[in-house]
């Protein structure tokens, strides 16, 4: 099962939920498949990355949207290429979901207008692909390091406060 893959064998209710949701990705109902993809994202089911990537090609735009968003929560570098391809999906909402997922996964924000004419979108996708082609798998991209450094230098960064307490 997908939930049992990796260096550690995951067992228990969490693994069972992941396995059930992965199996549900093959359901006949578009809504049920979309719900399964959404659930896998909420579960941060990194072990579900491969079957989610497969679902980016689903016949239903709703399933593709939920799958892209789920990969934004539980995807890795392996999801970036397929999400870049999804920026050219026929459905504008799916393109938007892929853009949100890429922004979440990479920490980068490149302009992307999901409703722009195809040639304009192609240029925007090219910017993403050009950047991604410079990212080496063994290190954090310099552009992300710059973003993090800028965040760390902001006044008040690094501190956390709570407006209330629980128990």
């Amino acid at each position: 099962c997908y939930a049992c893959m990796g260096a550690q064998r995951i067992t228990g209710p969490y693994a069972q939920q992941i396995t059930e949701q992965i199996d549900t990705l093959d359901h006949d109902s578009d809504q049920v498949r979309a719900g399964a993809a959404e659930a896998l994202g909420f579960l941060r089911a990194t072990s579900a990355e491969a079957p989610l990537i497969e679902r980016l090609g689903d016949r239903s735009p709703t399933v593709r949207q939920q799958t892209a968003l789920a990969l934004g929560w539980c995807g890795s570098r392996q999801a970036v290429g397929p999400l870049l391809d999804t920026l050219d999906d026929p459905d504008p909402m799916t393109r938007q979901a892929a853009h949100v997922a890429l922004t979440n996964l990479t920490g980068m924000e490149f302009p992307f207008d999901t409703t722009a004419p195809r040639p304009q979108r192609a240029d925007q996708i090219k910017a993403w692909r050009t950047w991604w082609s410079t990212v080496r798998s063994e290190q954090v991209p310099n552009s992300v390091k710059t973003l993090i450094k800028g965040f760390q230098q902001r006044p008040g960064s690094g501190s956390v406060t709570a407006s209330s307490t629980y128990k």
Side-chain angles (χ1 to χ4, degrees), residues 12-62:
Y14 176 75
Q16 182 179 347
Q17 286 180 40
I18 292 171
T19 300
E20 289 171 3
Q21 295 303 329
I22 289 171
D23 291 344
T24 303
L25 289 172
D26 292 326
H27 197 276
D28 290 337
S29 165
D30 296 351
Q31 288 305 107
V32 172
R33 289 194 313 278
E38 181 181 37
L40 289 165
F42 287 152
L43 289 167
R44 307 299 195 271
T46 57
S47 60
E49 182 179 38
L52 284 169
I53 288 172
E54 289 176 24
R55 280 289 156 213
L56 286 173
D58 196 277
R59 69 181 178 271
S60 165
T62 304

Side-chain angles (χ1 to χ4, degrees), residues 152-166:
Q152 291 172 336
Q153 293 175 346
R154 287 188 353 207
S157 67
S159 63
V160 177
T161 59
S163 59
S164 63
T165 59
Y166 178 71

Side-chain angles (χ1 to χ4, degrees), residues 83-97:
L83 286 166
L84 288 171
D85 294 341
T86 305
L87 290 175
D88 199 28
D89 191 273
D91 176 60
M93 295 299 292
T94 301
R95 294 191 295 261
Q96 181 66 34

Side-chain angles (χ1 to χ4, degrees), residues 6-149:
Q8 288 186 335
R9 192 172 186 88
I10 302 171
T11 59
Y14 176 75
Q16 182 179 347
Q17 286 180 40
I18 292 171
T19 300
E20 289 171 3
Q21 295 303 329
I22 289 171
D23 291 344
T24 303
L25 289 172
D26 292 326
H27 197 276
D28 290 337
S29 165
D30 296 351
Q31 288 305 107
V32 172
R33 289 194 313 278
E38 181 181 37
L40 289 165
F42 287 152
L43 289 167
R44 307 299 195 271
T46 57
S47 60
E49 182 179 38
L52 284 169
I53 288 172
E54 289 176 24
R55 280 289 156 213
L56 286 173
D58 196 277
R59 69 181 178 271
S60 165
T62 304
V63 174
R64 295 193 309 270
Q65 291 164 27
Q66 290 302 323
T67 298
L69 292 171
L71 286 167
W73 288 107
C74 64
S76 70
R77 288 175 184 256
Q78 280 63 49
V80 173
L83 286 166
L84 288 171
D85 294 341
T86 305
L87 290 175
D88 199 28
D89 191 273
D91 176 60
M93 295 299 292
T94 301
R95 294 191 295 261
Q96 181 66 34
H99 182 251
V100 168
L102 285 165
T103 300
N104 193 48
L105 283 177
T106 65
M108 299 303 294
E109 286 193 38
F110 293 102
F112 187 71
D113 182 351
T114 62
T115 61
R118 197 158 199 261
Q120 182 180 343
R121 286 195 330 265
D123 289 342
Q124 294 170 341
I125 294 168
K126 183 179 179 184
W128 269 103
R129 289 189 184 282
T130 299
W131 171 77
W132 184 243
S133 71
T134 67
V135 176
R136 296 173 47 158
S137 64
E138 66 275 2
Q139 61 188 10
V140 176
N142 288 332
S143 48
V144 174
K145 289 178 186 177
T146 302
L147 286 172
I148 292 169
K149 185 176 181 182

